[in-house]
Amino acid sequence: MGRTTFNFTATTRVKRVNHKVTSHMKNWIRRLALLPPEEARCSFCDTLHEEAGPFAEGPSGAFICEQCIATCATLIAHEKVRRKSDSGITHPRTLFLSAARVFVRDVTEAEDFYLTKLGLPLIAGGVSDNYLVFLAGSMHLIVESVEAEAREVADGSVGRFTGLSFAVASVEDTYTELSSLGVCFTGKPEVQPWGGILATFKDPAGNELQIVQHPAGP
């Protein structure tokens, strides 16, 4: 994808990242909207601000890009599992969902929708590649075109309920904002029996996705 990636094998290095992220993550996220100097680089992957997109600023002029935040979250999750294993709590297998795929017929329409209306950062692919990779939290959302010769076979993959949900702080606020941008919802937000709030919307290909507001903790 043309980006520097992490490959941590030493536990000590993971621990350093773990400590740094947990100490300053809330501060970085609160300051995501701040624009660093053009020459600023991500303190983790050394990518320039103009190439990496949004930066979060930490203390003493430190910056971290959106993809590295997601990478660090994954590292911390792995470290937590390792510590549980070391303490005698065993896991037969640990799986981390890293990507989800949505199929469309028109990549140009999809790019405008997911990038401009939903505001997801585009980190790989493009219209000419017939696929788009967006950063959605700690996961990658892959939006892929169904090839013309395969459309008859793959029609069931386009325009369906995907089962994918985007967590938001307020479904009502997000519903109002996205609706004003022309995003088509199938109905108004609804409170669910388990306490959360859901609203379902469609992309230009008719794929149904959801925004979800989880119930407040005790």
Side-chain angles (χ1 to χ4, degrees):
M1 295 182 182
R3 296 289 311 280
T4 303
T5 56
F6 293 103
N7 183 20
F8 289 103
T9 55
T11 300
T12 54
R13 193 172 183 186
V14 173
K15 287 182 177 178
R16 287 200 298 271
V17 174
N18 191 344
H19 173 73
K20 187 173 183 179
V21 173
T22 53
S23 297
H24 304 297
M25 179 67 80
K26 290 183 180 179
N27 183 47
W28 279 337
I29 292 175
R30 278 196 297 266
R31 303 172 70 180
L32 263 173
L34 299 179
L35 293 177
E38 292 183 1
E39 68 276 8
R41 292 178 176 271
C42 174
S43 304
F44 284 69
C45 68
D46 201 40
T47 303
L48 279 169
H49 170 234
E50 60 182 14
E51 298 174 4
F55 271 13
E57 183 182 0
S60 305
F63 297 101
I64 183 170
C65 69
E66 204 164 7
Q67 184 169 339
C68 287
I69 289 176
T71 302
C72 288
T74 302
L75 285 170
I76 292 171
H78 279 283
E79 176 67 6
K80 286 181 178 179
V81 171
R82 186 196 64 78
R83 290 184 180 185
K84 287 182 179 179
S85 178
D86 288 349
S87 65
I89 303 175
T90 59
H91 298 266
R93 182 177 294 107
T94 302
L95 303 176
F96 294 90
L97 188 63
S98 65
R101 181 175 274 104
V102 173
F103 293 97
V104 299
R105 296 187 180 88
D106 190 326
V107 177
T108 301
E109 273 188 339
E111 182 180 44
D112 176 67
F113 180 81
Y114 287 95
L115 179 64
T116 306
K117 293 184 177 179
L118 296 191
L120 299 178
L122 178 65
I123 60 173
V127 173
S128 60
D129 299 312
N130 285 325
Y131 75 91
L132 310 161
V133 182
F134 296 96
L135 187 63
S138 61
M139 288 183 54
H140 291 160
L141 177 63
I142 304 168
V143 179
E144 186 174 340
S145 172
V146 176
E147 297 295 338
E149 61 272 17
R151 284 181 181 174
E152 185 175 344
V153 177
D155 266 353
S157 300
V158 181
R160 62 182 180 86
F161 179 72
T162 64
L164 301 177
S165 301
F166 296 93
V168 296
S170 170
V171 163
E172 288 287 350
D173 290 347
T174 306
Y175 169 82
T176 300
E177 179 186 358
L178 293 181
S179 294
S180 70
L181 294 174
V183 175
C184 177
F185 282 84
T186 62
K188 294 184 177 181
E190 295 182 350
V191 178
Q192 303 300 302
W194 44 271
I197 306 173
L198 283 173
T200 303
F201 63 93
K202 294 183 177 182
D203 72 2
N207 294 304
E208 294 186 356
L209 306 102
Q210 295 180 314
I211 50 175
V212 57
Q213 178 181 337
H214 295 288

